[in-house]
Amino acid sequence: MAFDGFRPLDEKILVEYLKATPSLAAKLGNKFDGFEIKEVGDGNLNFVYIVIAPGGSCVIKQALPYIRCIGESWPMTQDRAYFESSTLQEHGRLCPEHVPEVYHFDRTMCLIGMRYLEPPHIILRKGLIAGIEYPLLAEHMSGYMAKTLFYTSLLYLTTTNHKISRYCGNVELCKHTEQVIFSDPYKVSEYNRWTTPYLDADAEAIRVDNILKLEIAELKSKFSERVQALIHGDLHTGSVMVTTESTQVIDPEFSFYGPMGFDVGAFIGNLILSYFSQDGHSNEGADRKLYKVWILKTISETWNLFHTKFTALWDKHKDGPGEAYLLEIYNNLDLQLLIKKKYMDDLFHDTLGFGAAKMIRRIVGVAHVEDFEWIKEANKRADCERKALNFAKTLLKDRRQFHNIGEVVSAIELFDTR
Amino acid sequence: MAFDGFRPLDEKILVEYLKATPSLAAKLGNKFDGFEIKEVGDGNLNFVYIVIAPGGSCVIKQALPYIRCIGESWPMTQDRAYFESSTLQEHGRLCPEHVPEVYHFDRTMCLIGMRYLEPPHIILRKGLIAGIEYPLLAEHMSGYMAKTLFYTSLLYLTTTNHKISRYCGNVELCKHTEQVIFSDPYKVSEYNRWTTPYLDADAEAIRVDNILKLEIAELKSKFSERVQALIHGDLHTGSVMVTTESTQVIDPEFSFYGPMGFDVGAFIGNLILSYFSQDGHSNEGADRKLYKVWILKTISETWNLFHTKFTALWDKHKDGPGEAYLLEIYNNLDLQLLIKKKYMDDLFHDTLGFGAAKMIRRIVGVAHVEDFEWIKEANKRADCERKALNFAKTLLKDRRQFHNIGEVVSAIELFDTR
């Protein structure tokens, strides 16, 4: 059976494909009896098949040529499978402990074969909605972000190795991000939605807020024009699979050379969304007060550990190949402290800005989050969303006034009690 | 005669090449008698042949694989001919009145055939040294910069058309720029030189100035990471040919998607260098007092006209394809004024920073300018250079304190009288 063109997978085709592909067949122990195949993709962007055989397992992900939830009118390049596979491999090389191994990539079929993240791995967002604490989450995510961002930046790479043209091609997904995060929520768009009628005035207020628009323009310009590191590009809590011991980052199809704060902000912004959604889930039996404290602690620790680990990598490689700050120039301790403080302050403010932008778009833009969507009573959901939205607006506008993550956490608590 | 590999040109090869290349032969009227050929390249980077035939003329430029003035130890990719030719064509399309027409490009031979800029065109730098006023210079250069920068930025282009991977490859020349402008002058380097012993202490002072190093790091990061527009990349007064009526920008081999301020700053910074060099030329008969006033006026007008023309293009295309500020979002006059002010203020400060960096490197780095080099008495040259250097250091450190070009001109005058 030949696969010389793109064919959408079904179970039959998948089985033939697995048999015909040595790298995948080997992962299944080369035995094709007693197979179990399950399609688990949300079907919006990709097919995702879990394959469990007596001799092993794998996940097969195939990119489809459009976003199914919106319709074929919003096509999405299948090249994203190439960028996803490239970044899984590159980030996996830098941080194998938190990135699933890639076994196989087929550009024509837009197909990635990779490690199956076995139970009890679940999507972090679902764990947060269920109120499950992950004691190692901040430790793990800070390590993943510190390694992937530091090692793909000019702090570690030479200019020649940094400006790789490989990711220039991922424009279509960047363009999608630009539209849904930096544009649509700030204008009338057929794709926008919100908890109506409760948030009608709130959504309208965003569309007439000049200062907010000025700030989002600055972030959009950074997103489009700043080639800082190979970022994941979509690092929300739905792109992370967890158990209490393991943290695995998946789905980097939006990856490109962009601003680091976009990744760190995506993760922290989604933790803040989770925080503000908790009151909507607290009547389901469990009291979420302590859980909210844990989320805030996780937010603090994520940034603080990221800061510690990132700057430790910088120290470790200060006489390495990185070309941003040559040791011959930045040759005294005072100066090294100055540049580090400036760099990390900028990254902190980028993180807050992008985090806030990600929160806003999840409440009044096209794609919402289950954290809020699963709150059935609309008025209750709207109350949670409004608090999150008001906090995000302040964070976006006043981000440069925050000096550390502790001040951010205090502000979250303040907006929660308003 | 076949040209299937790279061969350095000599006159004989050149004549055969012209005969064998219809697009060039046509420009010479297809007549090959009474030819005049002159090699006028400085021979450091390229061969440049002027070809004048009875029926027409052209210039043939060929890239060599290294920088001859430094030696074969500093190789330079010949791909620069490709980037030069691409940018001449792209900028020429946007601003044909100030960019010479390209007739022919041969990637294998690294050879560009283009319009011969006939006498009395001379290199602007030489005109400035000779004390010649060019009444249209500010008008022309501001127009060239406004058009080429605006039309290749996200203010006019869609993201898809902006992020073209075509220029990602010009890393080697970017790396060279990074080294000679943003690194070498701030550390001990075998390539650095200055008017010794007069400026020994001044050169040393730069290498121990933490604040200066902090600022140059910020500019280096912008240069390496900010993909803002298709810039010329080397827009000093040696890259401009002039008569009193005509202004032609040549040599964009360092072009890439970078920060706009790097171009505007290069041009203005080199005008300031010319200003500070004038006292070194004033004893040659002509009094340069009035000429210095003309240079200052040209500096002011260049920025002010650039500002006017650039923002006029922005207004003209405000409902065009540009994706930076969608009209649906930036939909009221207050907001439009706000974003424009912020954008132009940032560009102004980038311009001053990059301009200052370009000045510093011409005094204590590897490549100097004839404006100073042609001042024979070393102590007199050093006096001029020191004033320029002191001004540049202040400009680099305090650039954000300048609100308009008038304040910059006043500061130049102040440093001149110190």
Side-chain angles (χ1 to χ4, degrees):
Chain A
M1 187 163 182
F3 290 90
D4 52 0
F6 175 79
R7 297 169 59 188
L9 290 177
D10 59 26
E11 287 207 16
K12 186 166 168 295
I13 295 175
L14 175 58
V15 171
E16 292 306 315
Y17 190 91
L18 294 169
K19 287 180 180 172
T21 309
S23 58
L24 295 173
K27 286 288 166 188
L28 301 171
N30 289 308
K31 280 183 198 134
F32 301 94
D33 294 327
F35 246 53
E36 191 190 322
I37 293 180
K38 200 163 50 166
E39 212 278 301
V40 296
D42 54 14
N44 279 333
L45 282 158
N46 310 293
F47 282 132
V48 181
Y49 288 95
I50 293 171
V51 181
I52 298 175
S57 62
C58 69
V59 161
I60 302 295
K61 182 170 177 181
Q62 185 182 43
L64 295 170
Y66 47 80
I67 308 180
R68 245 200 274 177
C69 71
I70 296 173
E72 305 201 5
S73 62
W74 199 331
M76 286 288 267
T77 173
Q78 289 174 295
D79 275 350
R80 64 187 191 274
Y82 166 73
F83 297 109
E84 175 167 359
S85 158
S86 283
T87 301
L88 280 172
Q89 290 178 67
E90 175 65 7
H91 283 182
R93 194 176 62 75
L94 299 170
C95 188
E97 61 276 32
H98 300 305
V99 180
E101 188 188 346
V102 172
Y103 302 145
H104 172 76
F105 175 60
D106 179 335
R107 192 153 188 176
T108 305
M109 284 286 281
C110 310
L111 183 155
I112 306 171
M114 68 181 108
R115 180 188 155 196
Y116 167 51
L117 296 168
E118 69 292 341
H121 276 104
I122 59 168
I123 293 287
L124 171 58
R125 192 184 298 286
K126 296 195 200 294
L128 295 170
I129 294 169
I132 302 167
E133 292 189 15
Y134 296 97
L136 298 175
L137 182 63
E139 176 74 30
H140 287 172
M141 286 302 292
S142 60
Y144 164 81
M145 295 190 293
K147 284 183 185 172
T148 57
L149 299 178
F150 175 82
Y151 283 116
T152 61
S153 77
L154 286 176
L155 296 176
Y156 180 73
L157 294 180
T158 65
T159 320
T160 317
N161 289 330
H162 182 252
K163 282 190 175 170
I164 52 171
S165 44
R166 192 173 178 183
Y167 286 90
C168 289
N170 206 5
V171 286
E172 208 174 303
L173 270 75
C174 286
K175 200 178 162 76
H176 175 83
T177 303
E178 280 160 31
Q179 178 181 343
V180 299
I181 297 180
F182 300 104
S183 296
D184 281 354
Y186 304 88
K187 68 184 185 67
V188 174
S189 160
E190 57 178 314
Y191 302 113
N192 288 343
R193 59 191 185 83
W194 54 81
T195 303
T196 188
Y198 307 97
L199 296 187
D200 289 359
D202 302 83
E204 165 70 14
I206 285 177
R207 295 197 297 270
V208 298
D209 189 331
N210 279 2
I211 303 302
L212 204 63
K213 290 178 176 184
L214 196 64
E215 294 297 341
I216 200 72
E218 183 172 322
L219 292 171
K220 185 181 183 183
S221 147
K222 272 202 180 153
F223 179 82
S224 316
E225 298 178 347
R226 183 141 194 220
V227 187
Q228 193 178 22
L230 178 56
I231 68 174
H232 179 285
D234 197 26
L235 195 54
H236 57 78
T237 50
S239 296
V240 182
M241 294 197 73
V242 285
T243 69
T244 44
E245 284 91 38
S246 164
T247 306
Q248 302 290 326
V249 178
I250 59 172
D251 292 351
E253 55 202 275
F254 287 86
S255 56
F256 72 111
Y257 270 78
M260 296 177 180
F262 193 74
D263 270 6
V264 189
F267 186 67
I268 288 180
N270 274 269
L271 288 179
I272 302 175
L273 286 177
S274 169
Y275 175 89
F276 282 109
S277 76
Q278 293 298 324
D279 286 354
H281 303 292
S282 64
N283 61 349
E284 289 164 17
D287 172 8
R288 296 293 179 100
K289 283 212 176 70
L290 283 175
Y291 194 62
K292 286 168 74 175
V293 173
W294 175 81
I295 295 177
L296 293 181
K297 181 165 150 272
T298 301
I299 291 169
S300 281
E301 284 184 3
T302 297
W303 173 261
N304 288 332
L305 287 170
F306 170 76
H307 187 288
T308 303
K309 291 174 185 186
F310 189 92
T311 52
L313 288 174
W314 191 341
D315 286 336
K316 182 178 168 188
H317 295 288
K318 68 167 180 270
D319 50 2
E323 293 195 2
Y325 302 97
L326 300 178
L327 194 57
E328 296 159 277
I329 301 175
Y330 301 91
N331 53 4
N332 63 77
L333 192 61
D334 280 353
L335 185 54
Q336 285 159 9
L337 290 173
L338 267 176
I339 55 172
K340 216 166 275 168
K341 171 150 176 47
K342 188 163 185 300
Y343 196 99
M344 298 311 289
D345 281 353
D346 284 349
L347 181 48
F348 182 58
H349 295 140
D350 280 3
T351 293
L352 301 184
F354 286 121
K358 294 274 214 167
M359 292 177 67
I360 291 169
R361 75 96 157 205
R362 293 295 193 177
I363 299 169
V364 299
V366 56
H368 286 225
V369 289
E370 292 161 346
D371 310 62
F372 291 124
E373 295 298 285
W374 287 8
I375 301 169
K376 287 203 189 90
E377 297 160 66
N379 64 337
K380 198 170 172 184
R381 181 168 73 241
D383 286 346
C384 293
E385 288 175 327
R386 186 179 296 108
K387 283 180 182 177
L389 193 60
N390 287 337
F391 172 73
K393 285 165 64 177
T394 296
L395 192 63
L396 185 51
K397 291 181 192 174
D398 299 337
R399 63 189 184 279
R400 296 176 201 83
Q401 262 115 72
F402 291 94
H403 300 94
N404 55 60
I405 195 74
E407 292 176 4
V408 177
V409 164
S410 300
I412 294 171
E413 288 178 305
L414 191 69
F415 275 82
D416 191 28
T417 55
R418 268 185 191 173
Chain B
M1 190 165 180
F3 291 88
D4 52 0
F6 175 80
R7 297 169 59 188
L9 289 178
D10 58 27
E11 286 206 15
K12 185 166 169 297
I13 295 175
L14 175 58
V15 171
E16 292 305 316
Y17 190 91
L18 293 169
K19 287 182 181 171
T21 310
S23 58
L24 294 173
K27 285 288 167 188
L28 302 171
N30 289 307
K31 282 186 197 129
F32 301 95
D33 294 327
F35 246 54
E36 192 190 321
I37 294 181
K38 200 164 51 166
E39 212 279 301
V40 296
D42 54 13
N44 279 333
L45 280 158
N46 309 293
F47 283 132
V48 180
Y49 289 94
I50 293 172
V51 182
I52 298 176
S57 64
C58 69
V59 160
I60 302 295
K61 182 170 176 180
Q62 185 182 42
L64 296 171
Y66 46 80
I67 308 181
R68 245 201 273 176
C69 72
I70 295 171
E72 304 201 6
S73 62
W74 199 331
M76 285 288 267
T77 172
Q78 289 174 293
D79 276 348
R80 64 187 190 273
Y82 166 74
F83 297 110
E84 175 168 357
S85 156
S86 285
T87 300
L88 280 173
Q89 290 178 67
E90 175 66 7
H91 283 181
R93 194 177 62 75
L94 299 170
C95 188
E97 61 276 31
H98 301 304
V99 180
E101 187 188 347
V102 172
Y103 303 145
H104 172 76
F105 175 60
D106 179 335
R107 190 152 189 176
T108 306
M109 284 286 281
C110 310
L111 182 155
I112 305 172
M114 67 182 106
R115 178 188 159 196
Y116 167 51
L117 297 168
E118 69 293 342
H121 276 103
I122 59 168
I123 291 289
L124 172 58
R125 192 185 298 287
K126 296 194 200 296
L128 295 169
I129 294 169
I132 302 167
E133 292 189 16
Y134 295 97
L136 298 174
L137 183 64
E139 176 73 30
H140 287 173
M141 286 302 292
S142 60
Y144 163 81
M145 294 189 296
K147 284 184 186 173
T148 57
L149 299 178
F150 175 82
Y151 283 117
T152 61
S153 78
L154 286 176
L155 297 176
Y156 181 73
L157 295 179
T158 64
T159 320
T160 317
N161 289 330
H162 182 251
K163 281 189 175 168
I164 52 169
S165 44
R166 191 171 179 185
Y167 286 89
C168 289
N170 206 6
V171 286
E172 208 174 302
L173 269 76
C174 287
K175 201 178 160 78
H176 175 82
T177 303
E178 280 160 31
Q179 179 180 343
V180 298
I181 297 180
F182 301 104
S183 295
D184 280 356
Y186 304 88
K187 69 184 185 68
V188 175
S189 160
E190 58 178 314
Y191 301 114
N192 288 343
R193 60 190 184 82
W194 54 83
T195 302
T196 189
Y198 307 96
L199 297 186
D200 289 359
D202 303 83
E204 166 70 15
I206 286 176
R207 295 196 297 270
V208 298
D209 189 331
N210 279 3
I211 302 302
L212 204 63
K213 290 177 177 186
L214 196 64
E215 294 297 341
I216 200 71
E218 184 173 321
L219 292 172
K220 185 181 182 184
S221 146
K222 272 204 180 151
F223 179 82
S224 318
E225 297 178 349
R226 183 140 194 221
V227 187
Q228 193 177 21
L230 177 56
I231 68 174
H232 178 285
D234 197 25
L235 195 55
H236 56 77
T237 50
S239 296
V240 182
M241 293 196 74
V242 286
T243 68
T244 45
E245 285 90 41
S246 165
T247 307
Q248 301 291 325
V249 178
I250 58 173
D251 292 351
E253 54 203 277
F254 287 86
S255 57
F256 72 111
Y257 271 78
M260 297 177 179
F262 193 73
D263 269 6
V264 190
F267 186 67
I268 288 179
N270 275 268
L271 288 180
I272 303 175
L273 286 178
S274 170
Y275 175 90
F276 282 109
S277 76
Q278 293 298 324
D279 287 353
H281 303 291
S282 63
N283 60 349
E284 289 165 17
D287 173 8
R288 296 293 178 101
K289 283 210 177 71
L290 284 176
Y291 194 61
K292 287 167 73 174
V293 173
W294 176 80
I295 294 177
L296 293 182
K297 182 165 149 270
T298 301
I299 291 169
S300 282
E301 285 185 2
T302 297
W303 173 261
N304 288 332
L305 288 170
F306 170 75
H307 187 289
T308 302
K309 292 176 184 186
F310 189 92
T311 52
L313 288 174
W314 191 341
D315 285 335
K316 181 177 169 189
H317 296 287
K318 67 169 181 270
D319 50 0
E323 293 194 2
Y325 301 97
L326 300 178
L327 194 58
E328 297 158 277
I329 301 175
Y330 301 91
N331 52 4
N332 62 78
L333 193 62
D334 280 354
L335 186 52
Q336 286 158 8
L337 291 173
L338 267 175
I339 55 173
K340 217 164 277 168
K341 172 151 176 46
K342 188 164 185 296
Y343 196 99
M344 297 312 289
D345 282 353
D346 284 349
L347 181 47
F348 182 59
H349 295 140
D350 280 4
T351 293
L352 301 184
F354 286 121
K358 293 275 213 167
M359 292 177 68
I360 292 170
R361 76 96 158 203
R362 293 294 193 178
I363 299 170
V364 299
V366 58
H368 287 226
V369 288
E370 291 161 347
D371 311 62
F372 291 125
E373 296 296 286
W374 286 10
I375 302 170
K376 288 204 187 90
E377 296 161 63
N379 64 335
K380 197 170 171 185
R381 181 168 71 241
D383 285 346
C384 293
E385 289 175 325
R386 186 178 297 107
K387 283 180 181 177
L389 193 60
N390 286 338
F391 172 74
K393 284 164 65 176
T394 295
L395 192 63
L396 184 51
K397 290 181 192 175
D398 298 339
R399 63 189 184 280
R400 294 176 203 83
Q401 261 115 74
F402 292 95
H403 299 96
N404 55 60
I405 195 75
E407 292 177 5
V408 177
V409 164
S410 300
I412 294 172
E413 290 178 304
L414 191 69
F415 275 82
D416 191 29
T417 55
R418 269 186 187 171

